[in-house]
Amino acid sequence: MEEVWVAGAAMNRFGKVPGMGREMAANVSLEAIEKSGISPKDIGYTFISNAFGISERQAHLGPLINTSLGIPEVPSATIESACSSSSAALHEAFVHIAGGFIDAALVVGVEKLSHLETLAATSYFAMGADYAFESKNGATFPGLYATLATAHMKKYGTKHEELGAIAVKNHVNASSNPHAHFQKPISMETYLNSPMVSFPLKLYDCCPFSDGAAAVVVVNPAKFKKDLKEVPAAIRASARAGSIAALQDRTDLTAIPASRLAADKALHQAKVEHKDIDFMEVHDCFTIAEVLAMEDMGFFAKGTAGKAAAEGQTRVDGKLPVNPSGGLKAKGHPVSATGAAQIVEVMEQFNGRAGKREVKGAEYALAHNVGATGGSCSVHILQRV
Ligand SMILES: CC(C)(COP(=O)(O)OP(=O)(O)OC[C@H]1O[C@@H](n2cnc3c(N)ncnc32)[C@H](O)[C@@H]1OP(=O)(O)O)[C@@H](O)C(=O)NCCC(=O)NCCS
């Protein structure tokens, strides 16, 4: 296998972004390529993720992006894996470079949602669940994750205040992230007094609907090492896994098996142990999802991750910083851009641009990105070069 490095990554500020998704995608792509030091002409393949582009009446985004970059002849493909779309796209780029098929790839994730009302956006998102058994019967993502949260609270006694500690931490982290949708810290009181969305999840347990785009340039260092302008991140593992899609078919609602499977594969591939990971960007579409990620990947025993968050163990200055970017909760969650945006945070950290949210001396980072309620999951492990 060839080595694969992240050479450059860029994102816009998530939130309400004017213009179409394709414009955001082209802008961040150009910025990521410029940061990397390679030329657009070096790109051998473009992998695009844009799960809900159809809401803008736009599919087949790849050729449009490549045309904007002046490389219309380069092949492209759209990769869809619900909320884990752009980490799945990164995996495809990794496989192409590691296998020696190409020397450089562009990965772009983008979503434009602010032209939709909350009800319409919720209905689009619900297409990522099991339509026949879940969405058609009224289940939404806040409802499905509320079901997981209820089961976790019943089995392990997880408390609102523990979920609140995650929300407060992620909003604090996002307050020093210029790319974040929400940049104001919140207090536990604000969290506890926020309106109920779907019991037991309150407003501040939920990620928002965000517009946004993120792009990542990956290269074979044997070919491009001399050209690179940034401190690169070597991709030591790129692993994916799946689990039973619909909640009603599962025997246990307190875990997402795909997270454990993908993390086990990734740690094995990277030849590292849990204790080697210096920080993680995990999929916290709802606060309970951060609890599940930390437990299912084996960083905390089942039923203890909420308490660990409440004790401050996952703050930027804690034992294992989780979501220094602010996570999906506060940085925002433009679905298909999320996986790529996690890699942007890794590059910001490795290149000393994270400011107050810097994880000092970090060498290994883990990025964990879930599709829907866990039907799919990607885990990448990156090492500062
Ligand atoms: C929680 C949710 C229902 C709120 O939607 P809403 O009630 O229509 O809220 P609005 O968009 O009208 O916003 C009202 C206010 O709350 C804020 N807000 C909205 N969602 C927020 C969130 N998740 N966290 C914090 N603040 C939020 C808005 O910024 C706005 O603040 P302002 O009045 O100061 O401008 C919606 O954000 C949601 O469904 N989130 C989950 C998205 C999802 O399922 N993603 C897929 C995950 S798998």
Side-chain angles (χ1 to χ4, degrees), residues 55-139:
S55 76
E56 291 187 89
R57 298 173 188 272
Q58 183 65 67
H60 203 209
L61 205 50
L64 295 173
I65 304 302
N66 283 354
T67 303
S68 321
L69 296 173
I71 49 170
E73 68 285 357
V74 169
S76 62
T78 304
I79 308 289
E80 191 272 322
S81 182
C83 308
S84 68
S85 291
S86 57
S87 61
L90 178 62
H91 179 70
E92 294 305 318
F94 175 87
V95 169
H96 273 72
I97 296 175
F101 294 99
I102 53 171
D103 294 321
L106 173 67
V107 174
V108 196
V110 60
E111 220 69 75
K112 170 80 182 187
L113 297 160
S114 62
H115 59 296
L116 302 171
E117 297 290 324
T118 298
L119 181 59
T122 303
S123 309
Y124 269 106
F125 279 24
M127 290 177 195
D130 181 332
Y131 180 71
F133 292 96
E134 292 177 329
S135 334
K136 195 176 158 196
N137 295 303

Side-chain angles (χ1 to χ4, degrees), residues 100-269:
F101 294 99
I102 53 171
D103 294 321
L106 173 67
V107 174
V108 196
V110 60
E111 220 69 75
K112 170 80 182 187
L113 297 160
S114 62
H115 59 296
L116 302 171
E117 297 290 324
T118 298
L119 181 59
T122 303
S123 309
Y124 269 106
F125 279 24
M127 290 177 195
D130 181 332
Y131 180 71
F133 292 96
E134 292 177 329
S135 334
K136 195 176 158 196
N137 295 303
T140 61
F141 275 105
L144 292 168
Y145 272 93
T147 307
L148 300 177
T150 307
H152 202 275
M153 285 173 148
K154 185 156 185 262
K155 182 161 178 184
Y156 297 112
T158 308
K159 297 186 175 58
H160 279 292
E161 286 77 3
E162 293 169 2
L163 299 181
I166 289 171
V168 170
K169 164 184 71 70
N170 288 351
H171 275 272
V172 166
N173 291 350
S175 69
S176 62
N177 184 351
H179 295 126
H181 185 151
F182 297 122
Q183 297 186 13
K184 278 196 197 139
I186 60 160
S187 64
M188 181 61 84
E189 199 188 358
T190 306
Y191 166 83
L192 289 171
N193 291 331
S194 68
M196 193 62 78
V197 171
S198 181
F199 182 86
L201 302 179
K202 294 163 172 287
L203 178 68
Y204 286 102
D205 286 301
C206 307
C207 64
F209 291 111
S210 318
D211 302 330
V216 179
V217 174
V218 272
V219 300
N220 180 344
K223 182 92 178 173
F224 291 110
K225 193 174 176 178
K226 61 182 185 326
D227 302 315
L228 306 186
K229 295 201 288 201
E230 297 265 87
V231 173
I235 303 182
R236 296 300 181 211
S238 176
R240 302 207 79 226
S243 40
I244 292 173
L247 296 194
Q248 87 273 353
D249 294 330
R250 300 186 194 173
T251 50
D252 180 10
L253 293 179
T254 62
I256 291 181
S259 293
R260 172 160 296 262
L261 290 171
D264 284 354
K265 277 193 213 174
L267 290 162
H268 180 76
Q269 242 179 58

Side-chain angles (χ1 to χ4, degrees), residues 351-374:
N351 280 274
R353 290 192 293 262
K356 276 205 267 182
R357 63 184 203 287
E358 182 183 340
V359 180
K360 300 227 163 22
E363 181 187 357
Y364 280 103
L366 182 149
H368 160 269
N369 189 200
V370 168
T373 49

